[in-house]
Amino acid sequence: MTALLACLCGGIGAGLRYLLDTTVGRVYKGRWPLGTLLINIIACFFAGLVAALAARLALPSTTHLLLATGLLGGFSTFSTAMNDVVSRMHDGRVGLATIYLLTTILVTLVLTAAGFAVGMSI
Amino acid sequence: MPTSSPTPADTQRIDLPVLCCVVIGGTLGTAIRYMFSSLPPFSWYFYTGTFLANMIACTAYSALASFLAGAWWIPARGKELTNRTLGMGLCGGLSTLSALAVEVLTTGREGHLWSASIYLLLSFACGLVLAALGSHLGTRAAVGAGRGRKEAQ
């Protein structure tokens, strides 16, 4: 039952990703894949927060599974980020692709650490 | 050529049937990732389940995007629904950057910075290579299928 709920939470996370990506696409028309980056930044911050709460035993294991594996796992996306990089390289925008790749790696790691720090301090 | 979204116009409106397709695909993708998560780790710092899920998703998503970009015989609405269900939903739900980041962070916090760095770099390097491979295969499949359809007409 918990596993089924986690899968449904993943579906909700994917739905939220679609809504945010569409909203960003309506506002921002540039070449930068801003929607995917924002989605991954938000997901990583909250994943760090949830991981810290779980480490402090402040979060039941079922809730941790539903949020970390389900909602945030379904919300964040590695495959879209990689496809974004490859598609820009195919278009000849190697510089943009490289900056986007490095930004994704660095910013998501920093935001995960920030979320973890917030989770340990509250 | 791979595309992250079907057409610019498709990203400008929220479409309820498309949202349902994404949720269904995301639920299935999460279910597959959940099954992968029970795989035994390759070593204590290398998360086999997350790695495998991400690599399969990268290959499949890029292959699908490239195939749909070259599939002239599929109507635009069909492309959008397929891309959103299987690409954004299934592959997006199967892959996860948040779990990867947390795994790297916790491994690094335990003092194993080299192990964390290797896991992170391997994930991104292999993900990029497989996404490029998937894109190539998807384009070739679309060209082949398109040629067959033209000859049949």
Side-chain angles (χ1 to χ4, degrees):
Chain A
M1 187 61 189
T2 308
L4 186 65
L5 279 176
C7 298
L8 287 174
C9 284
I12 293 168
L16 290 174
R17 175 156 42 85
Y18 166 70
L19 293 176
L20 182 57
D21 190 49
T22 306
T23 306
V24 171
R26 192 185 296 157
V27 176
Y28 175 73
K29 311 286 181 193
R31 293 172 176 175
W32 188 266
L34 192 62
T36 307
L37 186 62
L38 268 179
I39 285 160
N40 281 329
I41 284 173
I42 294 167
C44 286
F45 176 81
F46 283 103
L49 183 71
V50 166
L53 293 176
R56 289 173 50 198
L57 304 176
L59 204 64
S61 59
T62 305
T63 311
H64 178 243
L65 179 74
L66 296 184
L67 291 176
T69 304
L71 190 70
L72 296 169
F75 184 60
S76 73
T77 174
F78 183 76
S79 56
T80 309
M82 293 300 97
N83 186 58
D84 284 342
V85 172
V86 170
S87 64
R88 272 147 192 85
M89 283 187 169
H90 271 263
D91 292 344
R93 298 180 192 137
V94 179
L96 180 72
T98 307
I99 293 169
Y100 173 65
L101 176 67
L102 294 176
T103 306
T104 298
I105 296 172
L106 290 176
V107 175
T108 53
L109 279 180
V110 168
L111 264 290
T112 307
F116 196 89
V118 171
M120 293 302 267
S121 63
I122 54 174
Chain B
M1 180 174 31
T3 52
S4 52
S5 50
T7 65
D10 293 327
T11 63
Q12 293 173 8
R13 62 190 170 86
I14 291 166
D15 188 333
L16 194 58
V18 169
L19 175 61
C20 292
C21 287
V22 173
V23 171
I24 292 167
T27 304
L28 292 173
T30 306
I32 298 168
R33 177 160 46 80
Y34 183 74
M35 284 191 286
F36 276 137
S37 70
S38 63
L39 287 172
F42 177 70
S43 74
W44 59 266
Y45 66 84
F46 196 92
Y47 299 83
T48 318
T50 306
F51 184 81
L52 271 180
N54 279 338
M55 295 309 113
I56 292 168
C58 283
T59 314
Y61 188 68
S62 292
L64 177 75
S66 295
F67 179 80
L68 291 175
W72 50 266
W73 63 94
I74 300 176
R77 183 66 173 167
K79 280 185 185 181
E80 186 189 5
L81 290 175
T82 308
N83 189 41
R84 297 300 195 186
T85 309
L86 299 179
M88 182 174 243
L90 185 68
C91 295
L94 175 60
S95 73
T96 174
L97 187 55
S98 59
L100 170 65
V102 168
E103 287 159 0
V104 169
L105 179 77
T106 49
T107 306
R109 271 178 58 84
E110 288 164 5
H112 306 287
L113 286 175
W114 278 109
S115 304
S117 304
I118 289 168
Y119 176 58
L120 177 73
L121 291 177
L122 263 182
S123 292
F124 274 90
C126 294
L128 274 179
V129 169
L130 288 173
L133 177 70
S135 168
H136 177 70
L137 293 175
T139 304
R140 283 191 63 170
V143 169
R147 193 180 298 135
R149 283 176 183 272
K150 274 183 183 166
E151 285 169 2
Q153 281 175 357

